[in-house]
Amino acid sequence: MQTQKADGMKTELASGEPSEKASRAVVKSGADVAEVVIAATHLSAAFADALKSVEPELSFTHWDLLNLLRRDGPMRPFQAAARLRISRQLVFQAAKKLGRLGYIDFSSEQDRRAVTISLSEAGSQVLDRVETRFRTVADVLSERVPTANLRPLRTILGLMTNGFDTRR
């Protein structure tokens, strides 16, 4: 097995166990990036399946909006859009669907344009069920690969995400 160091030099591992130096190896080739993306895609699919098993109508955007409302409380849709870094239109569409499902409540003061969205009791319950299902998926992953150190994957995915960030 070969690993690539930050300076581009490759090192050969004698055993199947990665050395400490190898675990800190920096990967930068297209094939390395492809492997990380494939792994992330499989993880994402497992969590997407878990989400759909709880509520087939929910997407990760819906889940993000519900989590935001749980964490930060009631707010206007434009505030949710800014905090989630998505378009106002997407928040309005997601909120409309979540309202139809009974997971969020709408309140309006005097003006229909001044609507506030908040998490309903049913929304809180579905979030609890989703979190339980996500923990189950994570437990299965930990059970199948007990020696996996996911911190490097999280770091690499964070760096890749920042690399695609077009707001800079």
Side-chain angles (χ1 to χ4, degrees), residues 23-105:
S23 66
R24 292 183 305 206
V26 175
V27 291
K28 292 199 178 196
S29 73
D32 295 327
V33 172
E35 285 181 14
V36 170
V37 170
I38 289 167
T41 302
H42 287 295
L43 283 171
S44 178
F47 284 97
D49 289 346
L51 181 62
K52 295 292 183 189
S53 74
V54 172
E55 173 56 75
E57 296 280 329
L58 292 183
S59 69
F60 280 117
T61 301
H62 298 120
W63 178 70
D64 280 341
L65 181 55
L66 291 172
N67 271 314
L68 176 68
L69 294 173
R70 175 184 268 178
R71 186 185 69 228
D72 295 351
M75 66 184 67
R76 297 201 27 213
F78 79 88
Q79 293 169 314
R83 290 184 186 158
L84 293 174
R85 296 182 176 156
I86 59 177
S87 72
R88 291 180 184 187
Q89 180 181 7
L90 184 55
V91 169
F92 278 111
Q93 290 171 348
K96 186 176 179 181
K97 184 172 190 175
L98 291 169
R100 184 176 43 81
L101 294 169
Y103 297 147
I104 63 170
D105 295 320

Side-chain angles (χ1 to χ4, degrees), residues 7 19 26 42 44 62 74 113 120 131 168:
D7 61 3
S19 70
V26 175
H42 287 295
S44 178
H62 298 120
R113 293 171 294 178
S120 70
E131 288 172 5
R168 292 178 184 190

Side-chain angles (χ1 to χ4, degrees), residues 157-168:
L157 291 173
L159 290 170
M160 290 172 70
T161 300
N162 290 335
F164 289 116
D165 189 358
T166 58
R167 293 175 296 222
R168 292 178 184 190

